[in-house]
Amino acid sequence: MENVSVGPGKTPEGRLEELEAIVADRGSALVAFSGGVDSCLALAVAARALPEGSVLAVTSNNETYLPSELGQAEEFARSLGVEHLVVNTRELDDPNYAKNPTNRCYFCKSTLYSDLHRMALERGYGCVVDGANKDDEGDYRPGRKAARELGVVSPLSVAGVSKAEVRALAKHLGLPTWDKPALACLSSRFPYGQEITPEKLAQVARAEEFMRSKGYRQVRVRHHGEIARLEVGPDELERAFAEREEISAELEDAGFLYVTLDLAGYKSGSLNAALTRPGKKPKKTLPVLG
């Protein structure tokens, strides 16, 4: 395996030892497993650090999760010899979440981690682990508050592992997801304050699954009511424009009246721009008690 960059004065083996030490003394772990590169590395670390049969990967398969992701998550867990459980944590049942306030992710993660914490207690697992990394702590991530409140262990964050290091370590371990494009929950496709419904999520899921089936790697279909604002990687913009007629037809068939191509290309968390734009007041944040 070629050398990978994991920070000054560090080696991949040393970094992995750091990560494994964080979970090793827990005895067993239930891992919140989405199938993204972060949670794949967290799961691989737990599987390396803990005895065989003492790790459970749990994926919440609900309306905010792309259908095609589930099969990939199942295959990855199976490749590690880790038991994989699929649940539905029903985040949309919480009206605080469905209203889509600026701290929407808090309500999502609070529901998810509460369910996983209860499951871990019932099944005798020593902790709940997630794949949050150091960079997540510096971004706008209300869900991190819920993780801290419920005692979730975040080995990547604790060890100060950045997103770039996550990919480097995953590549070092030969994980097939090491270069997998980032894929946030589908609720991130909606401007704050726009209500999230199963029907709208289905529109976005269908549109993004179509784009992925066409070979586009980095895709977001932002839902602006009747308008779909399509973001693709900057290197894919020219192709998307050339295929605009086919793309427009498919997205209109998914329920959008208008289809636009964002000329800036894909940008992680682009809808957060409304929170800091001069002269714009962000949508009201619902109070979080406790």
Coordinates of all heavy atoms in Angstrom, one line a residue, residues 153-246:
V153 N -19.6 7.9 21.6 CA -18.1 8.0 21.4 C -17.8 8.2 20.0 O -18.3 7.5 19.1 CB -17.5 6.6 21.9 CG1 -16.0 6.6 21.6 CG2 -17.9 6.3 23.3
S154 N -17.0 9.3 19.7 CA -16.6 9.6 18.4 C -15.1 9.5 18.3 O -14.4 10.5 18.4 CB -17.0 11.1 18.1 OG -18.4 11.3 18.3
P155 N -14.6 8.3 18.0 CA -13.1 8.1 18.0 C -12.3 9.0 17.0 O -11.3 9.5 17.4 CB -12.9 6.6 17.7 CG -14.2 6.2 17.2 CD -15.3 7.1 17.8
L156 N -12.9 9.2 15.9 CA -12.2 10.1 14.9 C -12.1 11.5 15.4 O -11.0 12.1 15.2 CB -13.0 10.0 13.5 CG -13.3 8.7 12.9 CD1 -14.0 8.8 11.6 CD2 -12.0 7.9 12.7
S157 N -13.1 12.0 16.0 CA -13.1 13.4 16.5 C -12.2 13.5 17.7 O -11.3 14.4 17.8 CB -14.5 13.8 16.9 OG -14.5 15.1 17.4
V158 N -12.3 12.5 18.6 CA -11.4 12.5 19.8 C -9.9 12.5 19.5 O -9.1 13.2 20.1 CB -11.8 11.3 20.7 CG1 -10.8 11.1 21.9 CG2 -13.2 11.4 21.3
A159 N -9.6 11.7 18.5 CA -8.2 11.6 18.0 C -7.7 12.7 17.1 O -6.6 12.8 16.7 CB -7.9 10.3 17.3
G160 N -8.7 13.6 16.8 CA -8.3 14.8 16.0 C -8.1 14.4 14.5 O -7.3 15.0 13.8
V161 N -8.8 13.4 14.0 CA -8.6 12.9 12.7 C -9.5 13.8 11.7 O -10.7 13.8 11.9 CB -9.0 11.4 12.5 CG1 -8.9 11.0 11.1 CG2 -8.1 10.6 13.4
S162 N -8.8 14.4 10.8 CA -9.5 15.2 9.8 C -10.2 14.4 8.7 O -9.9 13.2 8.6 CB -8.6 16.2 9.1 OG -7.6 15.5 8.3
K163 N -11.0 15.0 7.9 CA -11.6 14.3 6.8 C -10.6 13.8 5.8 O -10.7 12.6 5.3 CB -12.6 15.3 6.0 CG -13.4 14.6 4.9 CD -14.4 13.7 5.5 CE -15.4 13.1 4.4 NZ -16.5 12.4 5.0
A164 N -9.6 14.6 5.5 CA -8.5 14.1 4.6 C -7.8 12.9 5.2 O -7.5 11.9 4.5 CB -7.5 15.2 4.4
E165 N -7.6 12.9 6.5 CA -7.0 11.7 7.2 C -7.9 10.5 7.2 O -7.4 9.4 7.0 CB -6.6 12.1 8.6 CG -5.4 12.9 8.8 CD -5.0 13.1 10.2 OE1 -5.7 13.9 10.9 OE2 -4.0 12.5 10.7
V166 N -9.2 10.7 7.3 CA -10.1 9.6 7.2 C -10.0 8.9 5.9 O -9.8 7.7 5.9 CB -11.6 10.1 7.4 CG1 -12.6 9.0 7.0 CG2 -11.9 10.6 8.8
R167 N -9.9 9.6 4.8 CA -9.8 9.0 3.5 C -8.4 8.3 3.4 O -8.3 7.2 2.8 CB -9.9 10.0 2.4 CG -11.4 10.6 2.3 CD -11.6 11.3 1.0 NE -13.0 11.9 1.0 CZ -14.0 11.2 0.7 NH1 -14.0 9.9 0.4 NH2 -15.2 11.8 0.6
A168 N -7.4 8.9 3.9 CA -6.0 8.4 3.9 C -6.0 7.0 4.7 O -5.4 6.0 4.2 CB -5.0 9.3 4.4
L169 N -6.6 7.0 5.8 CA -6.5 5.8 6.7 C -7.4 4.7 6.0 O -7.1 3.5 6.1 CB -7.0 6.1 8.1 CG -6.0 7.0 8.9 CD1 -6.7 7.4 10.2 CD2 -4.8 6.2 9.2
A170 N -8.6 5.1 5.5 CA -9.4 4.1 4.8 C -8.7 3.5 3.6 O -8.8 2.3 3.4 CB -10.7 4.8 4.4
K171 N -8.0 4.3 2.9 CA -7.2 3.8 1.8 C -6.1 2.9 2.2 O -5.8 1.8 1.6 CB -6.6 5.0 1.0 CG -5.9 4.6 -0.3 CD -5.4 5.8 -1.1 CE -4.8 5.3 -2.4 NZ -4.3 6.5 -3.2
H172 N -5.4 3.3 3.3 CA -4.4 2.4 3.9 C -4.9 1.1 4.3 O -4.2 0.1 4.1 CB -3.8 3.1 5.1 CG -2.7 2.3 5.8 ND1 -1.4 2.2 5.3 CD2 -2.7 1.6 7.0 CE1 -0.7 1.4 6.1 NE2 -1.5 1.0 7.1
L173 N -6.1 1.0 4.8 CA -6.7 -0.3 5.2 C -7.3 -1.0 4.0 O -7.8 -2.1 4.2 CB -7.8 0.0 6.2 CG -7.4 0.4 7.6 CD1 -8.6 0.7 8.5 CD2 -6.5 -0.7 8.3
G174 N -7.4 -0.4 2.8 CA -7.9 -1.0 1.7 C -9.5 -1.0 1.7 O -10.1 -1.9 1.0
L175 N -10.0 -0.1 2.4 CA -11.5 0.0 2.4 C -12.0 0.5 1.1 O -11.5 1.6 0.6 CB -12.0 0.9 3.5 CG -11.5 0.6 5.0 CD1 -12.1 1.5 6.0 CD2 -11.8 -0.9 5.3
P176 N -13.0 -0.1 0.5 CA -13.5 0.3 -0.9 C -14.2 1.6 -0.9 O -14.3 2.2 -1.9 CB -14.5 -0.8 -1.2 CG -14.9 -1.4 0.1 CD -13.7 -1.3 1.0
T177 N -14.5 2.1 0.3 CA -15.2 3.4 0.4 C -14.3 4.6 0.5 O -14.7 5.7 0.7 CB -16.2 3.4 1.6 OG1 -15.5 3.1 2.8 CG2 -17.3 2.4 1.3
W178 N -13.0 4.4 0.5 CA -12.0 5.5 0.8 C -12.2 6.7 0.0 O -12.0 7.8 0.5 CB -10.6 5.0 0.7 CG -10.1 4.8 -0.7 CD1 -10.1 3.7 -1.5 CD2 -9.4 5.8 -1.5 NE1 -9.6 4.0 -2.7 CE2 -9.1 5.3 -2.7 CE3 -9.1 7.2 -1.2 CZ2 -8.5 6.0 -3.8 CZ3 -8.4 7.9 -2.3 CH2 -8.1 7.3 -3.5
D179 N -12.6 6.6 -1.3 CA -12.8 7.8 -2.1 C -14.3 8.0 -2.4 O -14.6 8.7 -3.4 CB -12.0 7.6 -3.4 CG -12.5 6.5 -4.3 OD1 -13.2 5.6 -3.8 OD2 -12.1 6.5 -5.5
K180 N -15.2 7.4 -1.6 CA -16.6 7.6 -1.9 C -17.0 9.1 -1.7 O -16.6 9.7 -0.6 CB -17.4 6.7 -0.9 CG -18.9 6.7 -1.1 CD -19.6 5.7 -0.2 CE -21.1 5.7 -0.4 NZ -21.7 4.7 0.5
P181 N -17.7 9.6 -2.6 CA -18.2 11.0 -2.4 C -19.0 11.2 -1.1 O -19.7 10.3 -0.7 CB -19.0 11.3 -3.7 CG -18.6 10.3 -4.6 CD -18.2 9.1 -3.9
A182 N -18.9 12.4 -0.5 CA -19.7 12.7 0.6 C -21.2 12.6 0.3 O -21.6 13.0 -0.8 CB -19.3 14.1 1.1
L183 N -22.0 12.1 1.2 CA -23.4 12.0 1.0 C -24.2 12.2 2.2 O -24.4 11.3 3.0 CB -23.7 10.6 0.4 CG -25.1 10.3 0.0 CD1 -25.5 11.2 -1.2 CD2 -25.3 8.9 -0.4
A184 N -24.6 13.5 2.4 CA -25.4 13.8 3.6 C -26.8 13.3 3.5 O -27.3 13.0 2.4 CB -25.3 15.3 3.8
C185 N -27.5 13.3 4.6 CA -28.9 12.9 4.6 C -29.7 13.8 3.7 O -29.4 14.9 3.5 CB -29.4 12.9 6.1 SG -30.8 14.0 6.4
L186 N -30.8 13.2 3.1 CA -31.5 13.9 2.1 C -32.2 15.2 2.6 O -32.6 16.0 1.8 CB -32.6 13.0 1.5 CG -32.0 11.8 0.6 CD1 -33.1 11.0 0.0 CD2 -31.1 12.3 -0.4
S187 N -32.4 15.3 3.9 CA -33.1 16.5 4.5 C -32.2 17.7 4.3 O -32.7 18.8 4.3 CB -33.4 16.3 6.0 OG -34.3 15.3 6.2
S188 N -30.9 17.5 4.0 CA -30.0 18.6 3.8 C -30.2 19.3 2.4 O -29.6 20.3 2.1 CB -28.6 18.2 3.9 OG -28.2 17.3 2.9
R189 N -31.2 18.7 1.7 CA -31.5 19.3 0.3 C -32.5 20.4 0.4 O -32.9 21.0 -0.6 CB -31.9 18.2 -0.6 CG -31.2 16.9 -0.7 CD -29.7 17.1 -0.9 NE -29.1 15.8 -1.2 CZ -28.3 15.1 -0.4 NH1 -28.1 15.5 0.8 NH2 -27.8 13.9 -0.9
F190 N -33.0 20.7 1.6 CA -34.2 21.6 1.7 C -33.7 22.9 2.4 O -33.1 22.8 3.5 CB -35.3 21.0 2.5 CG -35.9 19.8 1.8 CD1 -35.3 18.5 1.9 CD2 -37.0 19.9 1.0 CE1 -35.8 17.4 1.3 CE2 -37.6 18.8 0.4 CZ -37.0 17.5 0.5
P191 N -34.1 24.1 1.9 CA -33.8 25.3 2.6 C -34.4 25.3 4.0 O -35.6 24.8 4.1 CB -34.4 26.4 1.7 CG -34.5 25.7 0.3 CD -34.8 24.3 0.6
Y192 N -33.8 25.9 5.0 CA -34.3 25.9 6.3 C -35.7 26.6 6.3 O -35.9 27.6 5.6 CB -33.4 26.7 7.3 CG -32.1 25.9 7.5 CD1 -30.9 26.5 7.1 CD2 -32.1 24.7 8.1 CE1 -29.7 25.9 7.3 CE2 -30.9 24.0 8.3 CZ -29.7 24.6 7.9 OH -28.5 23.9 8.1
G193 N -36.6 26.1 7.0 CA -38.0 26.6 7.1 C -38.9 26.0 6.1 O -40.1 26.1 6.3
Q194 N -38.4 25.3 5.1 CA -39.3 24.6 4.2 C -39.6 23.2 4.8 O -38.7 22.4 5.1 CB -38.7 24.4 2.8 CG -39.6 23.7 1.8 CD -38.9 23.4 0.5 OE1 -39.1 22.3 -0.1 NE2 -38.1 24.3 0.0
E195 N -40.9 22.9 5.0 CA -41.3 21.7 5.6 C -40.8 20.5 4.8 O -40.8 20.4 3.6 CB -42.8 21.6 5.8 CG -43.3 20.3 6.5 CD -44.8 20.3 6.6 OE1 -45.5 21.1 6.0 OE2 -45.3 19.4 7.3
I196 N -40.3 19.4 5.6 CA -39.9 18.2 4.9 C -40.9 17.2 5.0 O -41.5 16.9 6.1 CB -38.6 17.7 5.6 CG1 -37.5 18.8 5.5 CG2 -38.1 16.4 5.0 CD1 -36.2 18.5 6.3
T197 N -41.3 16.5 3.9 CA -42.3 15.5 3.9 C -41.8 14.3 3.2 O -40.8 14.4 2.4 CB -43.6 16.0 3.2 OG1 -43.3 16.2 1.7 CG2 -44.1 17.3 3.7
P198 N -42.4 13.1 3.4 CA -42.0 11.9 2.7 C -42.1 12.1 1.2 O -41.2 11.6 0.4 CB -42.9 10.8 3.2 CG -43.3 11.3 4.6 CD -43.4 12.8 4.4
E199 N -43.1 12.8 0.7 CA -43.3 13.0 -0.7 C -42.1 13.8 -1.3 O -41.6 13.5 -2.4 CB -44.6 13.7 -1.0 CG -45.8 12.9 -0.6 CD -46.1 12.8 0.9 OE1 -45.6 13.7 1.6 OE2 -46.8 11.8 1.3
K200 N -41.7 14.9 -0.6 CA -40.6 15.7 -1.1 C -39.3 14.9 -1.1 O -38.5 15.0 -2.0 CB -40.5 17.0 -0.3 CG -41.6 17.9 -0.5 CD -41.4 19.1 0.5 CE -42.6 20.1 0.4 NZ -42.4 21.2 1.4
L201 N -39.1 14.1 -0.1 CA -37.9 13.3 0.0 C -37.8 12.3 -1.1 O -36.8 12.0 -1.7 CB -37.8 12.6 1.4 CG -37.5 13.5 2.6 CD1 -37.8 12.8 3.9 CD2 -36.0 14.0 2.5
A202 N -39.0 11.8 -1.4 CA -39.1 10.8 -2.5 C -38.7 11.4 -3.9 O -38.0 10.8 -4.7 CB -40.4 10.2 -2.6
Q203 N -39.1 12.7 -4.1 CA -38.7 13.4 -5.3 C -37.2 13.5 -5.4 O -36.6 13.2 -6.4 CB -39.3 14.8 -5.2 CG -40.7 15.0 -5.6 CD -41.1 16.4 -5.6 OE1 -41.4 17.0 -4.6 NE2 -41.1 17.0 -6.8
V204 N -36.6 14.0 -4.3 CA -35.1 14.1 -4.2 C -34.4 12.8 -4.4 O -33.4 12.7 -5.2 CB -34.7 14.8 -2.9 CG1 -33.2 14.8 -2.8 CG2 -35.2 16.2 -2.8
A205 N -34.9 11.8 -3.7 CA -34.2 10.4 -3.9 C -34.3 9.9 -5.3 O -33.3 9.5 -5.8 CB -34.9 9.5 -2.9
R206 N -35.4 10.1 -5.9 CA -35.6 9.6 -7.3 C -34.6 10.4 -8.2 O -33.9 9.8 -9.1 CB -37.0 9.7 -7.8 CG -37.2 9.4 -9.3 CD -38.6 9.5 -9.7 NE -38.6 9.4 -11.2 CZ -39.8 9.4 -11.9 NH1 -40.9 9.4 -11.3 NH2 -39.7 9.3 -13.2
A207 N -34.6 11.7 -8.0 CA -33.7 12.5 -8.9 C -32.2 12.2 -8.7 O -31.5 12.0 -9.7 CB -34.0 14.0 -8.6
E208 N -31.8 12.0 -7.5 CA -30.4 11.8 -7.2 C -30.0 10.3 -7.6 O -28.9 10.1 -8.1 CB -30.1 12.0 -5.8 CG -30.1 13.5 -5.4 CD -29.4 13.9 -4.1 OE1 -28.7 13.0 -3.6 OE2 -29.5 15.0 -3.7
E209 N -30.9 9.4 -7.4 CA -30.6 8.0 -7.9 C -30.4 8.0 -9.4 O -29.6 7.2 -9.9 CB -31.7 7.1 -7.4 CG -31.8 6.8 -5.9 CD -30.7 5.9 -5.4 OE1 -29.6 5.9 -5.9 OE2 -31.0 5.2 -4.4
F210 N -31.3 8.8 -10.1 CA -31.1 8.8 -11.5 C -29.7 9.4 -11.9 O -29.0 8.8 -12.8 CB -32.2 9.7 -12.2 CG -31.9 10.1 -13.6 CD1 -32.1 9.2 -14.6 CD2 -31.5 11.4 -13.9 CE1 -31.9 9.5 -15.9 CE2 -31.2 11.7 -15.2 CZ -31.4 10.8 -16.2
M211 N -29.3 10.5 -11.3 CA -28.0 11.1 -11.6 C -26.9 10.1 -11.3 O -25.9 10.0 -12.1 CB -27.9 12.4 -10.8 CG -28.8 13.5 -11.2 SD -28.7 14.0 -13.0 CE -27.0 14.7 -12.9
R212 N -27.0 9.4 -10.2 CA -26.0 8.4 -9.8 C -25.9 7.3 -10.8 O -24.9 6.8 -11.2 CB -26.2 7.9 -8.4 CG -25.8 9.0 -7.3 CD -26.6 8.7 -6.0 NE -26.3 7.5 -5.4 CZ -25.4 7.3 -4.4 NH1 -24.7 8.4 -4.0 NH2 -25.2 6.2 -3.9
S213 N -27.1 6.9 -11.3 CA -27.2 5.8 -12.3 C -26.5 6.2 -13.6 O -26.1 5.4 -14.4 CB -28.6 5.4 -12.6 OG -29.3 6.3 -13.3
K214 N -26.4 7.5 -13.8 CA -25.8 8.0 -15.1 C -24.3 8.2 -14.9 O -23.6 8.6 -15.8 CB -26.4 9.4 -15.4 CG -27.9 9.3 -15.8 CD -28.1 8.7 -17.2 CE -27.5 9.6 -18.3 NZ -27.7 9.0 -19.6
G215 N -23.8 7.9 -13.7 CA -22.4 8.0 -13.4 C -21.9 9.2 -12.8 O -20.7 9.4 -12.7
Y216 N -22.8 10.2 -12.4 CA -22.3 11.4 -11.8 C -21.9 11.0 -10.3 O -22.7 10.4 -9.6 CB -23.4 12.4 -11.8 CG -23.7 13.0 -13.1 CD1 -24.6 12.5 -14.0 CD2 -23.0 14.2 -13.5 CE1 -24.9 13.0 -15.3 CE2 -23.3 14.7 -14.8 CZ -24.2 14.1 -15.6 OH -24.4 14.7 -16.9
R217 N -20.7 11.5 -9.9 CA -20.2 11.1 -8.6 C -20.7 12.0 -7.5 O -21.1 11.6 -6.5 CB -18.7 11.1 -8.7 CG -18.1 9.9 -9.3 CD -16.6 9.9 -9.3 NE -16.0 10.1 -8.0 CZ -15.8 9.2 -7.0 NH1 -16.3 7.9 -7.3 NH2 -15.3 9.5 -5.9
Q218 N -20.6 13.3 -7.7 CA -21.0 14.3 -6.7 C -22.2 15.0 -7.1 O -22.2 15.8 -8.0 CB -19.8 15.3 -6.4 CG -19.9 16.0 -5.2 CD -19.8 15.2 -3.9 OE1 -18.7 14.8 -3.6 NE2 -20.9 14.8 -3.3
V219 N -23.3 14.6 -6.4 CA -24.7 15.2 -6.8 C -25.5 15.6 -5.6 O -25.5 15.0 -4.6 CB -25.5 14.1 -7.6 CG1 -26.8 14.6 -7.9 CG2 -24.7 13.6 -8.8
R220 N -26.1 16.8 -5.8 CA -27.1 17.2 -4.8 C -28.3 17.8 -5.7 O -28.1 18.6 -6.6 CB -26.6 18.3 -3.9 CG -25.5 17.9 -3.0 CD -26.0 16.9 -1.9 NE -24.9 16.6 -0.9 CZ -24.0 15.7 -1.0 NH1 -24.1 14.9 -2.1 NH2 -23.1 15.5 -0.1
V221 N -29.5 17.4 -5.3 CA -30.7 18.0 -5.9 C -31.3 18.8 -4.8 O -32.0 18.2 -3.9 CB -31.6 16.9 -6.5 CG1 -32.9 17.6 -7.0 CG2 -30.9 16.2 -7.6
R222 N -31.1 20.1 -4.8 CA -31.7 21.0 -3.8 C -33.1 21.2 -4.1 O -33.5 21.6 -5.3 CB -30.9 22.3 -3.7 CG -29.4 22.1 -3.6 CD -29.0 21.5 -2.3 NE -27.5 21.5 -2.1 CZ -26.8 20.9 -1.1 NH1 -27.5 20.3 -0.1 NH2 -25.5 21.0 -1.1
H223 N -34.0 21.1 -3.1 CA -35.4 21.2 -3.4 C -35.9 22.6 -3.0 O -36.0 22.9 -1.8 CB -36.1 20.1 -2.5 CG -37.6 19.9 -2.9 ND1 -38.6 20.8 -2.8 CD2 -38.2 18.7 -3.3 CE1 -39.7 20.3 -3.1 NE2 -39.5 19.0 -3.4
H224 N -36.2 23.4 -4.0 CA -36.8 24.7 -3.8 C -38.2 24.8 -4.2 O -38.6 25.5 -5.2 CB -35.9 25.8 -4.5 CG -34.5 25.8 -4.0 ND1 -34.1 26.7 -3.0 CD2 -33.4 25.1 -4.4 CE1 -32.8 26.5 -2.8 NE2 -32.3 25.6 -3.6
G225 N -39.1 24.0 -3.6 CA -40.5 24.0 -4.0 C -40.6 23.3 -5.4 O -40.3 22.2 -5.6
E226 N -41.1 24.1 -6.3 CA -41.3 23.6 -7.7 C -40.0 23.5 -8.5 O -39.9 23.0 -9.6 CB -42.3 24.5 -8.5 CG -43.7 24.5 -7.9 CD -44.6 25.4 -8.7 OE1 -44.1 26.4 -9.2 OE2 -45.8 25.0 -8.8
I227 N -38.9 24.1 -7.9 CA -37.6 24.2 -8.6 C -36.6 23.2 -8.0 O -36.4 23.1 -6.8 CB -37.0 25.6 -8.5 CG1 -38.0 26.6 -9.1 CG2 -35.7 25.7 -9.2 CD1 -37.6 28.1 -8.9
A228 N -36.0 22.4 -8.9 CA -34.9 21.6 -8.5 C -33.6 22.3 -8.9 O -33.4 22.6 -10.1 CB -35.0 20.2 -9.2
R229 N -32.7 22.6 -7.9 CA -31.4 23.2 -8.2 C -30.4 22.1 -8.2 O -30.0 21.6 -7.1 CB -31.1 24.3 -7.2 CG -29.7 24.9 -7.5 CD -29.6 26.2 -6.7 NE -29.7 26.0 -5.2 CZ -28.7 25.6 -4.4 NH1 -27.5 25.4 -4.9 NH2 -29.0 25.5 -3.1
L230 N -29.9 21.7 -9.3 CA -29.0 20.6 -9.4 C -27.5 21.0 -9.2 O -27.0 21.9 -9.9 CB -29.1 19.9 -10.8 CG -28.2 18.8 -11.1 CD1 -28.3 17.6 -10.2 CD2 -28.4 18.4 -12.6
E231 N -26.8 20.4 -8.3 CA -25.4 20.6 -8.1 C -24.7 19.4 -8.5 O -25.0 18.3 -8.0 CB -25.1 21.0 -6.6 CG -25.7 22.3 -6.1 CD -25.4 22.5 -4.6 OE1 -24.5 21.8 -4.1 OE2 -25.9 23.4 -4.0
V232 N -23.7 19.5 -9.3 CA -22.8 18.4 -9.6 C -21.3 18.9 -9.4 O -21.1 20.1 -9.3 CB -23.0 17.9 -11.1 CG1 -24.4 17.3 -11.2 CG2 -22.7 19.0 -12.1
G233 N -20.4 18.0 -9.4 CA -19.0 18.4 -9.3 C -18.6 19.3 -10.4 O -19.1 19.2 -11.5
P234 N -17.7 20.3 -10.1 CA -17.3 21.2 -11.1 C -16.8 20.6 -12.4 O -17.0 21.1 -13.5 CB -16.1 22.0 -10.4 CG -16.5 21.9 -9.0 CD -17.1 20.5 -8.8
D235 N -16.1 19.4 -12.3 CA -15.6 18.7 -13.5 C -16.7 18.0 -14.2 O -16.5 17.4 -15.3 CB -14.6 17.7 -13.1 CG -15.1 16.6 -12.1 OD1 -16.0 16.9 -11.3 OD2 -14.5 15.5 -12.1
E236 N -18.0 18.0 -13.7 CA -19.1 17.3 -14.3 C -20.1 18.3 -14.9 O -21.1 17.9 -15.5 CB -19.8 16.4 -13.3 CG -18.9 15.3 -12.8 CD -19.6 14.4 -11.8 OE1 -20.1 15.0 -10.8 OE2 -19.6 13.2 -11.9
L237 N -19.9 19.6 -14.7 CA -20.8 20.6 -15.1 C -21.0 20.6 -16.6 O -22.2 20.7 -17.1 CB -20.3 22.0 -14.7 CG -20.6 22.4 -13.3 CD1 -19.8 23.7 -13.0 CD2 -22.1 22.7 -13.1
E238 N -19.9 20.5 -17.4 CA -20.0 20.5 -18.9 C -20.9 19.3 -19.3 O -21.7 19.5 -20.2 CB -18.6 20.5 -19.5 CG -18.7 20.6 -21.0 CD -17.3 20.8 -21.6 OE1 -16.3 21.0 -20.8 OE2 -17.1 20.6 -22.8
R239 N -20.6 18.2 -18.8 CA -21.4 17.0 -19.2 C -22.9 17.2 -18.8 O -23.8 16.8 -19.6 CB -20.8 15.7 -18.5 CG -21.6 14.5 -18.8 CD -21.2 13.3 -18.0 NE -22.2 12.2 -18.1 CZ -22.3 11.2 -17.3 NH1 -21.6 11.1 -16.2 NH2 -23.2 10.3 -17.5
A240 N -23.2 17.7 -17.6 CA -24.6 17.9 -17.2 C -25.3 18.8 -18.1 O -26.5 18.6 -18.5 CB -24.6 18.4 -15.8
F241 N -24.6 19.9 -18.5 CA -25.2 20.8 -19.5 C -25.5 20.1 -20.8 O -26.6 20.3 -21.4 CB -24.3 22.0 -19.7 CG -25.0 23.1 -20.5 CD1 -26.0 23.9 -20.0 CD2 -24.6 23.3 -21.8 CE1 -26.6 24.9 -20.8 CE2 -25.2 24.2 -22.6 CZ -26.2 25.0 -22.1
A242 N -24.6 19.3 -21.3 CA -24.7 18.6 -22.5 C -25.9 17.6 -22.5 O -26.6 17.4 -23.5 CB -23.5 17.9 -22.9
E243 N -26.2 17.1 -21.3 CA -27.2 16.1 -21.1 C -28.5 16.8 -20.5 O -29.3 16.1 -19.9 CB -26.8 15.0 -20.2 CG -25.6 14.2 -20.9 CD -25.1 13.1 -20.0 OE1 -25.4 13.1 -18.8 OE2 -24.3 12.2 -20.5
R244 N -28.6 18.1 -20.6 CA -29.7 18.8 -19.9 C -31.1 18.4 -20.3 O -32.0 18.4 -19.4 CB -29.5 20.3 -20.1 CG -29.6 20.8 -21.6 CD -29.2 22.2 -21.8 NE -29.3 22.7 -23.1 CZ -28.4 22.5 -24.1 NH1 -27.3 21.8 -23.8 NH2 -28.5 22.9 -25.3
E245 N -31.3 18.0 -21.5 CA -32.6 17.6 -21.9 C -33.1 16.3 -21.2 O -34.2 16.3 -20.7 CB -32.7 17.5 -23.4 CG -32.5 18.8 -24.2 CD -32.7 18.6 -25.7 OE1 -33.1 17.5 -26.1 OE2 -32.5 19.6 -26.4
E246 N -32.2 15.3 -21.2 CA -32.5 14.1 -20.5 C -32.7 14.3 -19.0 O -33.6 13.7 -18.4 CB -31.4 13.1 -20.8 CG -31.7 11.7 -20.1 CD -30.6 10.7 -20.3 OE1 -29.5 11.1 -20.9 OE2 -30.7 9.6 -19.9

